[in-house]
């Protein structure tokens, strides 16, 4: 590796990190305006055109607010918890394949931070590290609401990790690889000349499991038992103020982006346009580098659609009770995941492995 | 191993961002601590008892179930990776899956029968 390689590596990593980091303020705006739209009220519309600068105003206000540490708190854990939840949320984006590859400075550059051959395991493993932040935050706050929220959050996240993993196992069995890049590459083109070669047509039940479990993994509304503002004030971040509270929000939206990205890659063709093969797109555009840019735009558009679905569901569906939540995963999703796996394996055996 | 260098780089960026937010927020905010302001939030009344009071054993139950089932589920991953290639060798891995799922389902059935899911 020489200096140019290292510079490219740093620039690429920073670029994708900044892309996902900038999803956060956009999502804050989309969430608040989306909520307003669904609840038939104007929403934040004062700061900038359509209230677009509201997240900036929020950030400035957060950062200039007092940063109190409650007397009952365990100071060390209380301070480190928001960082512990934000860092894993940032790390998972490393394996998202934003696009195929571009040629710059005589080198082929993958449009992905790191093409790990265990990408799916990496996402599941690092993604579940965030639970330490939640648990430490709730425990260290010295508040009963926080502790209750943290306990609920941890039991919910670990429970829904199993259906999430089982859904991913189905996709891995079909594609025969853990690498998200190879899975995305396998979804180029059409079957029978009319059906996009997307994972959802191979694993419809797997997608549905992954989709449901991802709501619970990111603590979003039908399963936002850890927060339940009507019972637990704000759950594990009750005692947090200033930008430390903002860090929990940042982590939530970054997790949302990553899980949407994984969902797009596993089940919705990654960076591929439906009905248009990459080779055809390359012929229209004429340049590999431009194609890379278009692919990143396509990928981000698909992710944006999923993020909008998350907002839409959050403000439409009411919350489950804790025992219902647990019964859904242990009694329904996990058996369904295993049956899905058996059926997938059986069909693959019957077809002799699809090419 | 070279693939993991960007991951470490990302870890570095994440640590820089997280710690700089923590420091900025502490440095830029006003510091006027009051006893009332720093007390635990309890909807306006004084907090009673220890905040780390014993909690419901159902959470412990969930943790035990998770340990059992997640360790079992983890064994599906290596199976899934080689399944597609193993199809040339005949249905040997399919049979293995059926046997393994039977054991898995037995455990899950036991959990449900023991009423571990009535978590109210």
């Amino acid at each position: 590796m020489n200096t140019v390689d290292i510079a490219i590596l740093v620039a690429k990593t920073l670029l994708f990190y900044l892309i996902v980091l900038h999803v956060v303020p956009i999502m804050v705006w989309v969430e608040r305006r989306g909520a307003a739209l669904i609840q038939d009220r104007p929403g934040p519309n004062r700061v900038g055109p359509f209230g677009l600068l509201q997240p900036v105003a929020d950030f400035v206000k957060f950062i200039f607010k007092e940063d109190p540490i409650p007397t009952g708190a365990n100071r060390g854990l209380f301070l480190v918890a928001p960082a512990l939840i934000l860092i894993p949320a940032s790390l998972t984006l490393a394996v998202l394949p934003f696009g195929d590859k571009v040629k710059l400075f005589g080198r082929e550059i993958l449009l992905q931070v790191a093409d790990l051959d265990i990408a799916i395991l990496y996402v599941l493993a690092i993604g579940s590290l965030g639970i330490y932040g939640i648990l430490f935050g709730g425990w260290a706050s010295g508040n009963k609401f926080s502790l209750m929220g943290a306990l609920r959050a941890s039991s919910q996240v670990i429970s829904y990790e199993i259906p999430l993993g089982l859904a991913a196992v189905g996709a891995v069995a079909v594609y025969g690889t853990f690498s998200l890049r190879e899975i995305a590459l396998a979804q180029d083109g059409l079957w029978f000349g009319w059906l996009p070669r997307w994972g959802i047509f191979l694993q419809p039940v797997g997608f549905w499991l992954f989709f449901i479990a991802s709501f619970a993994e990111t603590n979003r509304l039908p399963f936002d038992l850890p927060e339940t503002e009507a019972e637990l004030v704000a759950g594990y971040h009750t005692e947090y103020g200033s930008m430390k509270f903002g860090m929990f929000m940042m982590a939530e939206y970054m997790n949302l982006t990553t899980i949407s990205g994984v969902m797009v890659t596993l089940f919705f063709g990654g960076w591929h346009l439906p009905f248009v093969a990459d080779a055809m797109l390359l012929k229209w555009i004429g340049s590999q580098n431009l194609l890379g840019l278009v692919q990143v735009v396509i990928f981000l558009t698909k992710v944006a659609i999923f993020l909008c679905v998350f907002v839409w569901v959050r403000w439409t569906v009411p919350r489950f009770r804790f025992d219902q939540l647990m019964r859904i995963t242990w009694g329904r999703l996990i058996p369904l995941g295993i049956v899905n796996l058996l059926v997938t394996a059986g069909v693959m055996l019957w077809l002799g492995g699809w090419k | 191993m070279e693939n993991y260098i960007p991951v470490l780089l990302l870890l570095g960026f994440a640590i820089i961002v997280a710690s700089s937010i923590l420091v900025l927020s502490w440095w830029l905010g006003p510091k006027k601590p009051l006893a009332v302001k720093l007390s635990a939030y309890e909807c306006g009344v004084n907090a009673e008892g220890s905040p780390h009071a014993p909690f419901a054993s159902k959470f412990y139950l969930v943790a035990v179930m998770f340990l059992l089932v997640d360790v079992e589920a983890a064994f599906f991953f290596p199976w899934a990776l080689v399944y597609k290639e193993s199809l040339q060798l005949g249905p040997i891995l399919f049979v293995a899956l059926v046997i393994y799922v039977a054991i898995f389902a037995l455990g899950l059935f036991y959990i449900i029968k023991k009423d571990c899911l009535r978590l109210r």
Side-chain angles (χ1 to χ4, degrees), chain A residues 64-67 70-71 113-115 122 139 142-144 151 158 174 239 242-243 323 326 330 338 341 345-346, chain B residues 3 6-7 21 25 29-30 32 37-38 40-41 48 51-52 55 66 76-77 83-84 94 101 104 117 119-120:
Chain A
F64 282 106
K65 280 283 173 186
E66 186 174 349
D67 198 0
T71 34
V113 174
D115 178 25
Y122 175 85
W139 175 264
N143 181 324
K144 287 172 200 157
L151 283 173
I158 62 173
V174 168
E239 292 290 353
S242 156
M243 200 55 205
D323 60 316
M326 283 298 152
W330 292 98
I338 293 173
L341 205 57
Chain B
N3 271 341
V7 177
I21 289 175
S25 167
K32 297 182 190 120
K37 198 193 278 176
L38 296 184
Y41 181 80
E48 290 259 340
H52 298 155
F55 48 82
F66 169 75
F76 282 119
F77 282 99
Y83 183 65
K84 198 177 173 185
F94 184 72
V101 162
F104 192 105
L117 300 179
L119 294 165
R120 262 188 246 194

Side-chain angles (χ1 to χ4, degrees), chain A residues 63 92 125 139 146-147 196 209 228 280 284 304 321 326:
Chain A
I63 205 108
T92 37
W139 175 264
S146 303
L147 184 65
L209 283 172
T228 44
M280 206 178 350
W284 289 348
R321 227 170 41 219
M326 283 298 152

Side-chain angles (χ1 to χ4, degrees), chain A:
Chain A
M1 273 186 131
N2 58 27
T3 0
V4 181
D5 281 320
I6 293 170
I8 287 173
L9 208 64
V10 173
K12 189 174 76 170
T13 311
L14 199 59
L15 175 73
F16 288 125
Y17 187 38
L18 286 181
I19 286 179
V20 177
L21 213 52
H22 280 84
V23 171
V24 175
I26 298 168
M27 270 309 286
V28 169
W29 182 82
V30 170
E31 180 108 72
R32 296 180 67 177
R33 291 290 286 202
L37 186 76
I38 289 169
Q39 295 173 343
D40 198 17
R41 57 186 172 83
N45 59 358
R46 297 290 146 151
V47 195
F50 307 106
L52 266 172
L53 294 178
Q54 184 69 42
V56 181
D58 283 351
F59 178 78
V60 171
K61 188 172 175 178
F62 267 143
I63 205 108
F64 282 106
K65 280 283 173 186
E66 186 174 349
D67 198 0
I69 300 173
T71 34
N74 180 332
R75 295 178 71 97
L77 285 182
F78 186 81
L79 278 173
V80 90
L84 270 187
I85 192 170
L86 187 60
I87 290 168
S90 323
L91 273 183
T92 37
L93 68 96
V95 290
L96 290 187
F98 287 81
D100 192 4
K101 56 190 164 197
V102 293
K103 259 203 175 109
L104 281 178
F105 311 112
R107 287 171 180 78
E108 283 203 336
I109 304 168
L110 298 183
L111 290 174
Q112 186 180 17
V113 174
D115 178 25
L116 305 184
D117 41 10
I118 51 152
I120 291 174
L121 284 179
Y122 175 85
V123 168
L124 291 174
I126 304 286
S128 52
L129 282 182
I131 193 62
Y132 286 110
I134 293 179
L135 205 51
F136 287 176
W139 175 264
S141 291
N143 181 324
K144 287 172 200 157
F145 292 123
S146 303
L147 184 65
M148 286 299 295
L151 283 173
R152 283 187 184 185
S154 41
S155 57
Q156 166 184 333
V157 172
I158 62 173
S159 297
Y160 275 80
E161 223 173 85
I162 301 166
L164 199 75
L166 285 176
V169 163
V172 171
V174 168
Y175 292 110
T177 172
F178 279 134
S179 158
L180 283 178
R181 179 181 151 76
E182 274 169 42
I183 288 177
L185 279 172
Q187 301 182 42
D188 191 11
L190 299 170
W191 276 305
F192 321 120
W194 57 274
L195 194 63
R197 205 180 268 270
W198 285 3
I200 185 171
F201 301 115
L202 295 175
Q203 286 284 311
V205 180
F207 164 66
W208 197 237
L209 283 172
F210 201 94
F211 187 59
I212 294 172
S214 62
F215 279 95
E217 281 291 301
T218 50
N219 300 329
R220 294 289 294 186
L221 196 81
F223 310 120
D224 81 335
L225 271 294
E227 290 189 35
T228 44
E229 58 273 13
E231 324 163 13
L232 292 181
V233 189
Y236 54 89
H237 50 57
T238 304
E239 292 290 353
Y240 282 90
S242 156
M243 200 55 205
K244 286 216 288 287
F245 169 78
M247 283 166 84
F248 283 108
M249 290 289 111
M250 280 170 75
E252 176 176 334
Y253 289 121
M254 287 173 80
N255 276 331
L256 217 53
T257 315
T258 315
I259 208 118
S260 303
V262 174
M263 217 150 31
V264 164
T265 314
L266 283 182
F267 302 106
F268 285 89
W271 63 74
H272 298 295
L273 215 55
F275 308 112
V276 182
D278 261 10
M280 206 178 350
L281 207 58
L282 182 62
K283 210 156 54 180
W284 289 348
I285 295 172
S287 145
Q288 177 72 40
N289 291 353
L290 215 55
L291 179 69
L293 194 66
V294 170
Q295 284 170 339
V296 172
V297 171
I298 293 168
F299 183 82
L300 290 178
T301 310
K302 285 179 180 176
V303 170
I305 291 170
F306 264 104
L307 290 174
C308 290
V309 170
F310 273 108
V311 171
W312 174 32
V313 170
R314 170 164 183 185
W315 298 100
T316 311
V317 183
R319 179 180 298 130
F320 285 103
R321 227 170 41 219
F322 185 73
D323 60 316
Q324 291 172 328
L325 177 94
M326 283 298 152
R327 233 178 304 135
I328 289 171
T329 169
W330 292 98
R332 303 279 183 280
L333 295 187
I334 294 175
L336 195 63
I338 293 173
V339 170
N340 176 46
L341 205 57
L342 272 179
V343 171
T344 306
V347 171
M348 280 173 75
L349 188 66
W350 182 46
L351 294 177
W354 35 60
K355 294 282 175 271

